[in-house]
Amino acid sequence: MKNLFYPLSLLIGVLLVLFLQYSFQPYFFYIEQSQLFLWDSAYFLGHLSLPGGFSGWLSESVIQYYSYPFVGALCTGLWVTATALLAGNLLKRISGTSLMAMMGWIPALSLLLVAIDFNYLQAGNVAFLLCLLAASLYVRIPTFSYRLLAGILLLPLLAWWGSSVYMLFAVMAFLYEILLPQSSKQRLSSVSLLVVAALLATCFYQSCMVDTWGKAISPSSYYISKLIPGKIIYASWVSLLLLVGLAGLVSRKEGMMTGKRRTIAWVVELAFVLAFAYMGLMKFADKKSMRFMELDYYSRTGQWEKIEQACQGKLTNYLYMSILSRALAEEGKLIDELFQYDIRSERALAISWNSTENVSVLLSDLYFTCGNTALAQRMAFEGDVSAHGAHNVRMIQRLVQTNLVFGAYPIAEKYIALLEKSPIYKKWATPYRRFLNNDKLVEEDPLLGEKRALLFTPGDSNEVFISGGDFVQAVAEPLLANPDKARTAFEYLAGFYLLSRDMSSFISFVNQFKETSLLSPMPRAVQEGILIAYEGNPEKWKEYQLDDNIKSQFEEFRKQVLSNRNNQGLPGLLHRSFGNTYWYYLMFK
């Protein structure tokens, strides 16, 4: 029972991988999409020319494989375990006892709690590992003068490869030196480590490599610019420094625990680490974001039925509702089944654009589904520009598709060539080359041909709407261009008017397409809306050839509402029989 650090660490690592796979798989799929990795010398040299660029390149080279199931959880579990092992061995060497090694899991798990934040750059994980490797090398050099020289040389290397993590190394090395039993002159000389670190920080800030002092000397440099990280981002650095200080103090003590006390200490440490991991992940994991990422993955991969299953019951977020609405639209049943779900307002169809990556991606998907290729392309640009990494994979794919639809073949070829530099997405991109300069093949393709059929003809005087500010105008364009093939756009607009309770616009819209195939047969929700719109004038119902069963249900609904108007439990009373009708939505949502 002398040293249980390695077997216990293996156990924790396995449990961690299983937990991450079960609880965080959507997160791994999601972050992979936001940084297109290119196997290209220019891409590598571009990273290497920036402070911390090597850490960024190395993390992205691994994250690209998160597109495969299990890989994200496995890789994350491995780097957390590797971090714990390096930190534990460092603490063991400083303290002289293996009991301190188990505490290496604290900074490792603290780093994991930050890493599950989408706005945190995974380069910080690699940089932390580099710092631990440098520290492990540093403490193994027995001679003070050689050790100090090595530390001074390692600082700029860490700054170049790992960005601000050099400051963590400098403080840690200085702390190690002042806790060693050595001369005052040597301790004073170790201040040179902090001086060199201060000079590097000044160089970073004065050369505008960073825009704040905080990013020059703290882990905030690994957080998305313009966003303020939570205090948890400092936990890994602070805990490591405190543990190094504690290890230095322990090394001065004689007669460490033996026998049963040592075994009990191992058990207590293991329980503490497991409790810290579980409680931390439960506290800092954003469950709402995780659900959105899950729905986004299903949307990206076309798993529409899984979206419907996941959206059963109460919905509390318009992002969820927008993804659900698109799933129904892709299956051709948006207007038929819209009111079978917990939809709250017209914002369920399309939330307002806010210049963020996730909303831009969502709106690009939506407008591509509706048939407004111009606006889908514009939102793809916005989503790609705001991506965490060099590109958003999904939006580059969208730019390939939209440019092929428009016949902009040289531009489409540029994006295809970009994706072909990716080891993962080359297989997706290369088959699209067959469409280049081949209008016939594009028009025959089930997806691209359908979108091209919804474009305005060159001689049309209408201006293509690409501003993204008016949902009605944006979705109306495919209907104006080719109403016979714009079924999805029609359902979105009909649903919008119903959800917004704009009955005058709804009736005008229905009358405009009453004689077309778009209303043959007439969807149930449309009939329910007509009944409400002309509730005071039932004679008008005859103009629309409404289903007698639906009219009878409406009469029953109205009868129950009038007879229970003072009953506070009326919504629950009517939900079983009428909860999936437009009438129920109109009165109670």
Side-chain angles (χ1 to χ4, degrees):
M1 301 294 286
K2 184 178 180 181
N3 189 354
L4 295 176
F5 176 54
Y6 294 107
L8 289 179
S9 292
L10 178 61
L11 173 63
I12 296 173
V14 171
L15 292 175
L16 182 62
V17 169
L18 295 175
F19 181 80
L20 291 172
Q21 175 63 26
Y22 176 76
S23 301
F24 290 90
Q25 180 161 283
Y27 168 77
F28 300 121
F29 289 144
Y30 193 79
I31 64 170
E32 177 272 330
Q33 284 288 292
S34 195
Q35 45 191 33
L36 175 63
F37 178 81
L38 305 179
W39 190 253
D40 179 70
S41 59
Y43 187 75
F44 174 71
L45 293 175
H47 275 67
L48 205 61
S49 65
L50 299 172
F54 176 73
S55 295
W57 182 87
L58 197 58
S59 65
E60 290 176 18
S61 69
V62 175
I63 290 173
Q64 65 172 322
Y65 296 102
Y66 285 12
S67 57
Y68 299 115
F70 307 108
V71 174
L74 180 61
C75 290
T76 302
L78 285 174
W79 74 249
V80 173
T81 304
T83 302
L85 289 173
L86 282 172
N89 277 295
L90 179 65
L91 296 174
K92 176 185 174 183
R93 188 169 190 87
I94 295 173
S95 65
T97 172
S98 59
L99 284 174
M100 280 296 299
M102 201 65 188
M103 289 297 97
W105 274 96
I106 302 304
L109 291 171
S110 298
L111 196 62
L112 175 63
L113 299 182
V114 184
I116 58 177
D117 183 341
F118 173 66
N119 296 308
Y120 174 78
L121 301 175
Q122 304 297 314
N125 306 332
V126 177
F128 199 84
L129 276 172
L130 291 176
C131 178
L132 289 173
L133 285 171
S136 298
L137 172 64
Y138 182 84
V139 299
R140 280 172 168 77
I141 302 175
T143 306
F144 171 76
S145 57
Y146 292 158
R147 187 167 64 243
L148 186 63
L149 177 61
I152 292 173
L153 294 176
L154 283 170
L155 281 171
L157 187 62
L158 282 173
W160 179 27
W161 283 8
S163 188
S164 63
V165 78
Y166 71 90
M167 184 59 72
L168 173 63
F169 173 79
V171 176
M172 188 164 44
F174 173 73
L175 190 61
Y176 172 73
E177 295 296 346
I178 63 175
L179 289 173
L180 281 178
Q182 55 188 358
S183 68
S184 299
K185 183 179 179 180
Q186 289 176 324
R187 291 175 181 172
L188 184 61
S189 298
S190 64
V191 175
S192 58
L193 292 165
L194 300 180
V195 173
V196 173
L199 290 173
L200 287 170
T202 303
C203 178
F204 275 13
Y205 185 74
Q206 294 296 334
S207 62
C208 298
M209 292 182 181
V210 295
D211 54 0
T212 66
W213 281 106
K215 291 181 179 178
I217 63 173
S218 77
S220 61
S221 63
Y222 307 112
Y223 209 74
I224 293 297
S225 299
K226 300 180 181 179
L227 295 178
I228 301 175
K231 294 180 180 179
I232 186 65
I233 198 172
Y234 304 102
S236 57
W237 284 32
V238 172
S239 62
L240 181 60
L241 292 175
L242 290 175
L243 288 168
V244 167
L246 179 61
L249 294 174
V250 167
S251 66
R252 301 183 179 186
K253 303 295 181 181
E254 299 293 336
M256 297 304 295
M257 288 184 292
T258 58
K260 290 184 178 180
R261 289 184 178 181
R262 190 179 184 87
T263 303
I264 293 173
W266 280 114
V267 173
V268 171
E269 285 186 319
L270 175 61
F272 177 77
V273 169
L274 291 175
F276 181 84
Y278 180 78
M279 294 175 65
L281 289 169
M282 289 297 97
K283 178 177 175 61
F284 291 100
D286 188 343
K287 294 182 180 179
K288 289 185 178 180
S289 294
M290 206 61 60
R291 188 179 183 188
F292 167 73
M293 291 175 184
E294 178 185 13
L295 293 174
D296 179 80
Y297 173 72
Y298 293 149
S299 178
R300 174 165 62 90
T301 54
Q303 299 183 64
W304 313 121
E305 291 184 1
K306 287 191 175 181
I307 294 176
E308 294 173 39
Q309 293 170 6
C311 289
Q312 298 291 335
K314 187 176 183 179
L315 295 175
T316 58
N317 190 304
Y318 286 118
L319 288 172
Y320 308 160
M321 298 180 200
S322 295
I323 294 175
L324 170 62
S325 299
R326 178 174 177 247
L328 295 174
E330 285 286 352
E331 291 192 293
K333 55 185 183 181
L334 174 63
I335 198 64
D336 291 316
E337 298 188 8
L338 183 62
F339 296 102
Q340 295 181 18
Y341 297 87
D342 187 25
I343 301 297
R344 304 299 180 85
S345 81
E346 66 276 11
R347 292 174 63 191
L349 299 181
I351 62 175
S352 300
W353 181 53
N354 60 3
S355 301
T356 62
E357 180 182 4
N358 60 344
V359 173
S360 298
V361 170
L362 189 152
L363 290 176
S364 180
D365 287 345
L366 184 154
Y367 289 122
F368 194 68
T369 293
C370 288
N372 190 325
T373 303
L375 193 47
Q377 186 176 80
R378 188 268 172 98
M379 289 294 105
F381 278 123
E382 298 292 349
D384 187 54
V385 168
S386 55
H388 284 23
H391 293 286
N392 180 290
V393 178
R394 187 155 149 202
M395 293 300 93
I396 295 298
Q397 292 174 318
R398 177 62 37 76
L399 290 170
V400 169
Q401 294 170 329
T402 55
N403 280 291
L404 288 174
V405 171
F406 283 128
Y409 298 121
I411 301 176
E413 197 278 335
K414 179 185 74 171
Y415 290 115
I416 291 172
L418 183 66
L419 287 171
E420 285 178 330
K421 294 179 181 179
S422 164
I424 302 300
Y425 292 98
K426 181 178 181 179
K427 292 181 180 179
W428 182 94
T430 300
Y432 273 90
R433 284 191 172 276
R434 71 183 188 276
F435 295 109
L436 295 174
N437 303 307
N438 194 328
D439 289 334
K440 182 180 179 181
L441 205 57
V442 170
E443 290 164 6
E444 291 175 349
D445 184 73
L447 177 64
L448 303 178
E450 173 193 343
K451 304 307 177 186
R452 180 173 284 192
L454 296 174
L455 297 178
F456 285 111
T457 60
D460 200 301
S461 61
N462 288 296
E463 183 179 349
V464 176
F465 184 74
I466 60 171
S467 73
D470 188 328
F471 176 78
V472 172
Q473 185 176 353
V475 178
E477 284 211 350
L479 275 169
L480 296 174
N482 193 341
D484 292 334
K485 295 187 177 182
R487 177 79 189 184
T488 301
F490 171 83
E491 293 196 358
Y492 260 102
L493 271 182
F496 179 86
Y497 290 131
L498 288 172
L499 290 171
S500 60
R501 298 172 169 84
D502 186 354
M503 303 316 295
S504 60
S505 296
F506 170 73
I507 288 298
S508 176
F509 179 70
V510 170
N511 289 338
Q512 181 181 358
F513 296 98
K514 185 167 60 174
E515 304 301 327
T516 68
S517 59
L518 294 173
L519 285 171
S520 179
M522 186 177 291
R524 179 186 178 90
V526 173
Q527 296 189 52
E528 291 174 351
I530 293 171
L531 290 169
I532 285 289
Y534 290 119
E535 182 181 7
N537 187 9
E539 290 296 319
K540 281 283 188 177
W541 295 350
K542 298 177 182 178
E543 298 180 13
Y544 298 93
Q545 299 180 347
L546 304 179
D547 187 282
D548 290 336
N549 290 329
I550 297 177
K551 287 190 287 185
S552 298
Q553 281 186 305
F554 179 61
E555 292 293 350
E556 180 62 24
F557 176 81
R558 185 163 57 177
K559 179 181 176 181
Q560 290 196 33
V561 169
L562 293 175
S563 59
N564 293 279
R565 63 176 62 186
N566 296 322
N567 185 349
Q568 294 184 354
L570 181 60
L573 182 67
L574 295 176
H575 186 269
R576 174 175 293 184
S577 299
F578 303 100
N580 61 349
T581 66
Y582 177 61
W583 318 314
Y584 187 90
Y585 166 85
L586 199 62
M587 287 198 66
F588 303 114
K589 293 185 178 181

